[in-house]
Amino acid sequence: MGDLKTSQINKRLTNRIILFLQEIGIAVKKSRIHEETFLPGIKIERGEMLVDKDQLTYPGDLIHEAGHIALTPKSDRAKLNGNVDEEKNSKESLETGAILWSWAALTYLKLDPEIVFHQNGYRGASEWFIENFTSGNYIGLPLLQWMELCKHQDSDEGIPEFPHMIKWLRD
């Protein structure tokens, strides 16, 4: 009975995350994924996120992978395929930014941080990220500011501080 309840919670959570991603402009499509992928149940193809809900292990992984799409310049998003962190389309690594973007998204959605920063992710550093971000130590913030996704610290425009996002997708 516990597995059924967990499954129902995960489906509702997955649907909520997918709706958010679609609302901010990230293409998410339900699809059967027949090959092995970097994260179970998630495949990036031509800048779109394909999701196989039957294979998805951690709904929060959708947020992190969406962060990679969101931080890729609009002109390059359609080039994203597979494990986007290994993409060689750009010299810059967006991993740190995608991690912090994930924090902003889970904060916006009012999710428990462990939904995204679960024990089996982030090479064992999930707890470290949660501790830092909870204490306001936003590793990678200058990158998101440079991309004009959130307020610059020297800005006094009445814009709320991070984790508030001015926009979710990079131009």
Side-chain angles (χ1 to χ4, degrees), residues 34-75:
H34 300 286
E35 69 270 18
E36 188 175 329
T37 56
F38 178 68
L39 293 170
I42 303 173
K43 181 179 179 184
I44 306 298
E45 192 171 89
R46 294 184 301 276
E48 297 181 336
M49 187 178 298
L50 306 180
V51 180
D52 187 332
K53 290 183 181 181
D54 292 333
Q55 293 182 33
L56 185 65
T57 307
Y58 298 102
D61 287 347
L62 293 167
I63 292 177
H64 179 77
E65 290 306 293
H68 285 285
I69 295 169
L71 300 187
T72 299
K74 184 177 184 177
S75 60

Side-chain angles (χ1 to χ4, degrees), residues 21-39:
L21 298 177
Q22 291 171 330
E23 286 175 352
I24 66 169
I26 295 177
V28 181
K29 296 180 180 176
K30 297 173 189 169
S31 176
R32 294 290 304 150
I33 299 173
H34 300 286
E35 69 270 18
E36 188 175 329
T37 56
F38 178 68
L39 293 170

Side-chain angles (χ1 to χ4, degrees), residues 71-130:
L71 300 187
T72 299
K74 184 177 184 177
S75 60
D76 292 336
R77 279 189 211 127
K79 298 175 190 174
L80 295 176
N81 290 292
N83 181 0
V84 294
D85 192 40
E86 291 180 355
E87 284 290 318
K88 304 301 180 211
N89 296 334
S90 169
K91 292 182 181 177
E92 61 187 321
S93 172
L94 301 179
E95 182 64 22
T96 302
I99 291 169
L100 191 57
W101 187 94
S102 299
W103 184 263
L106 75 84
T107 301
Y108 177 82
L109 292 168
K110 297 177 175 52
L111 299 178
D112 184 315
E114 291 171 355
I115 289 172
V116 175
F117 296 93
H118 53 81
Q119 289 181 327
N120 292 318
Y122 301 91
R123 298 183 179 139
S126 295
E127 188 175 317
W128 183 83
F129 282 116
I130 292 171

Side-chain angles (χ1 to χ4, degrees), residues 109-166:
L109 292 168
K110 297 177 175 52
L111 299 178
D112 184 315
E114 291 171 355
I115 289 172
V116 175
F117 296 93
H118 53 81
Q119 289 181 327
N120 292 318
Y122 301 91
R123 298 183 179 139
S126 295
E127 188 175 317
W128 183 83
F129 282 116
I130 292 171
E131 288 172 7
N132 275 277
F133 296 158
T134 300
S135 67
N137 184 19
Y138 299 125
I139 300 124
L141 184 57
L143 179 62
L144 296 186
Q145 291 170 331
W146 175 77
M147 292 176 177
E148 300 180 344
L149 298 177
C150 59
K151 176 181 177 175
H152 288 262
Q153 70 183 58
D154 58 351
S155 173
D156 190 26
E157 303 167 7
I159 300 169
E161 299 275 332
F162 184 85
H164 174 80
M165 299 290 278
I166 296 169

